[in-house]
Amino acid sequence: MPQTRPNGTVVPINSDDYSLTSDLAKMADTTHVAVPVANKAARDALTTYPGMQVVRLDRDNWIQTYTGQGSTGWEYRSAPRRVDANVADFQNASGTASRLLYTMPGVTKPYPQTYRAVCRLGISVAAITSGNLWVNVAVSGATSSVATAQGKFGLAYFAPGNYLQSGTAETPWMNVAANTDPFIRAWVEVLDGLVTHAVSVQAPYSQFYAEVRPQDD
């Protein structure tokens, strides 16, 4: 009988009857090499088996795995790709009111995506002579208002001020249609207080990034 190698490849052996075409075809099919496909239709024309992988040339070479789960049996199981913003490009870093810091560019794709966003801000305050300051680190997708941002983290500042705190907010996984900008945004939301505060635009203190992958199809 044929020999099955540790990686699952089925190899014919000398003691068995040998059929060149079928034996080599079986060996090739069991090497578990990802198959390049032009699109979904080309993928769907393949004879599938659990664990089979394809490279979607119409999806920026993302790898899909046949799991038998979901509506089509195919899933994007590899780690999402990370898109980092340059925090040095933040606008309105200093202020006293709620404000938009940055809208991430270059995330739109010609295919539907699923994504989440993470924003970590280091925020310092000036001297506080009276009252307090309450702010949210906020991050959002597909909304134009910090009030409806999907991820928030609260920070509180008290007298005498003159110190820095940091917090991280993140959105849940969300979907966006093909050729549509998800408008991934970083914000500061002021809940109470009128105190000058500044967002650090240095990478050790602030980070803003998105994780993206195609929607399963």
Side-chain angles (χ1 to χ4, degrees):
M1 60 183 297
Q3 182 185 78
T4 301
R5 305 299 298 161
N7 69 349
T9 304
V10 178
V11 181
I13 60 176
N14 291 335
S15 60
D16 290 338
D17 292 335
Y18 183 63
S19 173
L20 179 66
T21 300
S22 61
D23 285 350
L24 289 182
K26 187 171 186 179
M27 185 171 68
D29 289 342
T30 57
T31 55
H32 303 297
V33 174
V35 180
V37 294
N39 49 40
K40 180 179 182 294
R43 182 204 69 191
D44 291 344
L46 299 173
T47 300
T48 59
Y49 57 84
M52 183 180 189
Q53 293 186 321
V54 297
V55 180
R56 287 291 296 272
L57 302 181
D58 61 332
R59 296 288 188 271
D60 290 331
N61 299 327
W62 279 89
I63 293 178
Q64 271 186 308
T65 302
Y66 185 77
T67 64
Q69 305 298 311
S71 59
T72 67
W74 290 92
E75 296 182 286
Y76 292 96
R77 300 295 296 273
S78 55
R81 293 177 184 170
R82 177 165 160 164
V83 182
D84 284 281
N86 183 357
V87 297
D89 292 333
F90 280 179
Q91 303 296 310
N92 307 309
S94 180
T96 59
S98 297
R99 57 201 183 275
L100 173 65
L101 299 172
Y102 194 71
T103 300
M104 187 173 292
V107 189
T108 305
K109 293 292 183 180
Y111 50 82
Q113 297 183 95
T114 184
Y115 69 96
R116 76 180 191 111
V118 178
C119 181
R120 179 179 184 270
L121 298 180
I123 302 176
S124 59
V125 296
I128 299 176
T129 56
S130 63
N132 304 312
L133 175 67
W134 299 80
V135 301
N136 280 331
V137 176
V139 62
S140 68
T143 182
S144 59
S145 170
V146 67
T148 53
Q150 295 90 346
K152 296 183 180 183
F153 186 91
L155 297 172
Y157 297 84
F158 305 98
N162 289 315
Y163 60 92
L164 179 145
Q165 295 188 93
S166 64
T168 301
E170 60 184 78
T171 70
W173 284 96
M174 300 182 289
N175 292 330
V176 63
N179 300 306
T180 302
D181 191 335
F183 292 107
I184 300 171
R185 289 170 165 150
W187 312 75
V188 173
E189 182 180 33
V190 177
L191 303 176
D192 187 48
L194 188 64
V195 178
T196 299
H197 55 281
V199 174
S200 175
V201 294
Q202 299 182 46
Y205 301 101
S206 296
Q207 294 180 326
F208 180 34
Y209 65 89
E211 294 181 330
V212 297
R213 63 157 63 97
Q215 292 181 36
D216 292 332
D217 63 349

